[in-house]
Amino acid sequence: MNNPSWLKDGLSHIWLPYTQMQTMTAPIPAIATKESRIYLADGRELIDGIASWWTACHGYNHPYIYKKAEEQLREMPHIMFGGIVHEPALRLASRLAKILPDDLNHVFFSDSGSVAVEVALKMAMQYWLNKGDTKRKKLLAFRGGYHGDTMATMAICDPEEGMHSLFTGILPEHYIVDLPKDEESIARFDLFLEQHHSEIAAIITEPLIQGAGGMLFHSPEVLKRLRYFADKYNLLLIFDEIFTGFGRTGSMFAFEQANVAPDIITLSKALTGGTMALAATVATTSIFNSFLSDNPIHALMHGPTFMANPLACACALASLDLFEQENRLEQVAKISQQMTDELAPCRALPGVKDVRVMGAVGVVELEKITDMNKLKSQLLEQNVWIRPFRNIVYLTPAFTITPKELQNLTTAIYNVLSQAI
């Protein structure tokens, strides 16, 4: 089958993400999706191993979400959220508050994960300003972390990961340190906070898995320590659950495995089941109350045009229904066990540094990937959609994937890594 005309006509006008457009391999044209499948213009059918950057947790085109989106589309696809509110947003805010810890009660909607983190950082900074503390101009983040591609979020990503290193000297400088994982790093972390806590507004981390930084795992004990030190030094604690939220690590939210809660949490990606762009920044009542004032300047002056989009909120409500009705966490547990069993043989392959699984995240870490384009092409030849990055090959499938489809994915990884790369 020849390439469709829209590919030929439009490709020269598009700017793709994370891509050197001069040397890129041609992208593949998709024409349809269903469940865990992507259908291509040339007639091929791929099993999706990454659920469209971890968003399509219920699979593509789930009929229940589709039905609720169609109903909302007919009624009110969008309306501004300034001075006007609507049922989908208020119902969604109430439901998020209900499933989050008791004090995370105040939801600010936006339309992307990066913006949700920007809002969280702005909330944290302004919290102290509204309290009259003008010294806290720094944030504390961690090596291996990734929080987005906008200017403020780039500034709290690991500066050594390379993607944003070009902007060194342009971005605001914050503190990036090691996660307190062992006695030595815990002691360094404590000493660092003792010396610098008065200038820090908040600590921010990705709970349990640092995603785009390399799918780096850490234990729930790390989150407990962060909560302890945040309380000890009177700092706000932000959990960025844009990747880890909504079942991906085996619990509804990753932080639940540590039995601690943040002061602010950011959510996106799987929030709508991968159907619409939507994000949320949820704060405690204490933080919310610090913005209440007779002085207008103390308000949170932020308002994305498409925030709380009714269509997206309807999809998110439907997604939450599915978590209640279809026992997604049980499916995640089965996926976790199957990936653990089926990826294990990769440990014996040359060049494999580590194999690890948490929830519905499976990772094969390599010593290095010498030819990324070749590796991607080899995986595509197995009729799977898997996108390695840095030095890892990973799976984050839909929770509804069938055991046979998942086996095809794990087998493809083993087969390709068995070849010279």
Side-chain angles (χ1 to χ4, degrees):
M1 181 184 294
N2 293 327
N3 283 329
S5 60
W6 53 261
L7 180 67
K8 179 181 178 182
D9 295 342
L11 191 57
S12 63
H13 302 288
I14 204 71
W15 202 332
L16 296 171
Y18 308 121
T19 301
Q20 175 45 258
M21 300 297 291
Q22 180 167 293
T23 59
M24 73 171 182
T25 301
I28 56 174
I31 59 171
T33 56
K34 186 177 182 181
E35 298 170 345
S36 288
R37 305 281 175 142
I38 301 172
Y39 299 89
L40 305 183
D42 63 7
R44 283 181 295 168
E45 184 178 322
L46 307 180
I47 300 173
D48 189 351
I50 56 174
S52 279
W53 276 331
W54 328 319
T55 63
C57 57
H58 309 291
Y60 294 113
N61 302 55
H62 194 288
Y64 182 74
I65 299 180
Y66 185 94
K67 176 176 177 289
K68 294 298 183 180
E70 189 176 42
E71 291 172 358
Q72 187 61 47
L73 184 62
R74 287 196 300 265
E75 190 171 288
M76 183 174 61
H78 182 64
I79 190 170
M80 64 183 293
F81 207 60
I84 298 174
V85 294
H86 52 81
E87 181 179 358
L90 270 61
R91 285 183 56 215
L92 179 57
S94 297
R95 286 185 68 175
L96 289 174
K98 184 177 180 180
I99 62 176
L100 289 167
D102 289 344
D103 201 31
L104 284 164
N105 282 323
H106 303 277
V107 182
F108 187 96
F109 288 115
S110 55
D111 48 11
S112 79
S114 291
V115 175
V117 175
E118 293 263 353
V119 172
L121 303 182
K122 193 171 182 177
M123 283 180 179
M125 294 288 197
Q126 191 173 344
Y127 168 82
W128 295 108
L129 291 173
N130 285 357
K131 293 169 72 71
D133 188 336
T134 60
K135 296 179 182 179
R136 297 178 185 260
K137 299 178 180 180
K138 297 287 188 180
L139 299 159
L140 179 62
F142 298 98
R143 293 188 179 92
Y146 170 85
H147 300 282
D149 298 333
T150 51
M151 294 298 281
T153 59
M154 284 197 295
I156 54 170
C157 294
D158 186 333
E160 297 178 4
E161 59 82 35
M163 191 159 56
H164 301 143
S165 59
L166 183 65
F167 292 86
T168 301
I170 298 174
L171 299 172
E173 292 187 5
H174 296 291
Y175 294 127
I176 312 293
V177 300
D178 292 323
L179 277 167
K181 292 182 177 182
D182 52 33
E183 289 188 11
E184 183 180 349
S185 57
I186 292 169
R188 288 199 309 268
F189 190 66
D190 192 4
L191 179 60
F192 183 89
L193 289 180
E194 182 181 341
Q195 295 172 342
H196 298 284
H197 67 273
S198 63
E199 54 186 313
I200 296 172
I203 301 170
I204 182 168
T205 194
E206 303 157 87
L208 300 189
I209 304 179
Q210 293 175 299
M215 297 294 174
L216 307 173
F217 295 2
H218 55 265
S219 73
E221 292 301 316
V222 173
L223 304 184
K224 292 180 181 180
R225 293 185 196 113
L226 293 181
R227 181 71 272 176
Y228 167 79
F229 284 118
D231 293 340
K232 177 180 178 179
Y233 290 104
N234 192 27
L235 306 173
L236 298 181
L237 181 61
I238 303 170
F239 285 166
D240 178 355
E241 292 236 17
I242 287 163
F243 167 47
T244 57
F246 302 103
R248 184 55 65 180
T249 65
S251 52
M252 190 63 171
F253 302 103
F255 72 81
E256 293 175 342
Q257 298 181 39
N259 291 316
V260 297
D263 301 297
I264 303 173
I265 188 170
T266 58
L267 305 169
S268 190
K269 290 196 181 291
L271 176 58
T272 68
T275 55
M276 292 286 296
L278 184 67
T281 306
V282 190
T284 62
T285 299
S286 174
I287 291 174
F288 177 80
N289 285 347
S290 73
F291 287 77
L292 302 180
S293 171
D294 292 330
N295 188 344
I297 201 171
H298 288 168
L300 179 60
M301 302 303 289
H302 206 93
T305 301
F306 283 91
M307 71 175 293
N309 170 256
L311 188 55
C313 289
C315 291
L317 287 166
S319 178
L320 292 179
D321 288 344
L322 291 175
F323 274 101
E324 295 176 359
Q325 298 167 7
E326 299 191 2
N327 206 348
R328 290 288 181 257
L329 296 184
E330 182 179 313
Q331 292 172 312
V332 170
K334 292 178 179 178
I335 289 170
S336 185
Q337 186 59 59
Q338 185 177 345
M339 289 198 298
T340 298
D341 295 340
E342 294 177 0
L343 291 176
C346 292
R347 286 193 174 92
L349 296 176
V352 172
K353 183 178 180 180
D354 187 33
V355 176
R356 52 186 179 269
V357 175
M358 183 187 298
V361 181
V363 181
V364 179
E365 182 178 354
L366 307 176
E367 294 291 346
K368 62 179 179 178
I369 296 176
T370 55
D371 191 336
M372 182 67 77
N373 287 335
K374 180 181 178 182
L375 179 56
K376 290 178 179 178
S377 296
Q378 289 173 319
L379 289 165
L380 195 59
E381 289 169 3
Q382 301 282 316
N383 293 317
V384 297
W385 183 241
I386 299 172
R387 298 289 285 173
F389 70 98
R390 296 168 67 96
N391 65 325
I392 66 166
V393 182
Y394 75 96
L395 294 174
T396 53
F399 304 156
T400 53
I401 194 169
T402 68
K404 177 59 178 173
E405 289 172 326
L406 184 56
Q407 184 181 39
N408 287 349
L409 292 168
T410 57
T411 299
I413 290 175
Y414 182 85
N415 288 343
V416 169
L417 295 185
S418 297
Q419 306 171 33
I421 58 172

